[in-house]
Amino acid sequence: MCKHQSLRWRLGSLACAAMIGLGGIAASPSAARATQTESSLRREVFGYLPYWELSDDSTVIDFRTYSTIAYFSVGVKATGALDRTNNSWSGWRSSRLDRIIAEAHRKGAKVVLTVTAMAWGSGSVQQNLLGDPTARQRLIEETIAEVQLNDADGISLDFEPITDDANFVELLRGFRAQMPAEWSLDRKS
């Protein structure tokens, strides 16, 4: 991991706290509504929008503070299928997120989909997914299709901890080869 990636991830954690209004970091709702056509940020500032915050009308995103909003998150199954059975999936497909994506684009920010595969317990889902080329390809295809459908701007992979380095690199290569060149691909591990 390079120094800049580490810094971006630390900022991402801070940004999450700011977006959900913790610690007095978030701007007031009136400031968040200020019209902005371009981001004035000089660096990428990555903030996470957890699915449970979408239903909270008090959640305000100050797009002057973030260059990229990562919707957190949609899980993945061992087969490579996105997990469509929980609240995080409903949030991804919600009209509220559609409005956030449209506002982000109007204000010069990007929105990416975070796909998670945690391996803190047995890790079998992640191991099976990474070890199976067919499952990896399914994940790539389904994720790209969802990002296109929601008019989002890229993908963030949150695999913790990575159980198979070589096949995770293959997954990254597969995403990069098949997704539009202008999309961002980020990883958190």
Side-chain angles (χ1 to χ4, degrees), residues 24-135:
I25 300 170
S28 68
S30 60
R33 289 188 205 103
T35 303
Q36 175 186 351
T37 57
E38 291 183 21
S39 174
S40 59
L41 298 170
R42 294 181 307 193
R43 302 222 190 295
E44 180 178 31
V45 180
F46 206 82
Y48 289 90
L49 176 60
Y51 70 87
W52 57 87
E53 288 297 320
L54 282 179
S55 61
D56 183 350
D57 290 334
S58 70
T59 297
V60 175
I61 302 171
D62 183 350
F63 289 102
R64 296 171 301 167
T65 309
Y66 306 101
S67 59
T68 305
I69 304 298
Y71 175 76
F72 186 84
S73 72
V74 171
V76 63
K77 297 180 179 185
T79 62
L82 294 174
D83 187 352
R84 294 172 167 84
T85 63
N86 54 36
N87 290 337
S88 65
W89 178 258
S90 299
W92 171 249
R93 285 293 189 88
S94 70
S95 61
R96 173 94 195 268
L97 186 62
D98 290 343
R99 290 189 303 273
I100 288 170
I101 292 170
E103 183 180 5
H105 290 164
R106 280 192 308 276
K107 295 188 176 180
K110 296 178 181 179
V111 178
V112 299
L113 170 61
T114 303
V115 176
T116 54
M118 302 302 175
W120 296 109
S122 70
S124 62
V125 168
Q126 190 189 114
Q127 284 177 321
N128 291 340
L129 166 67
L130 290 176
D132 181 354
T134 302

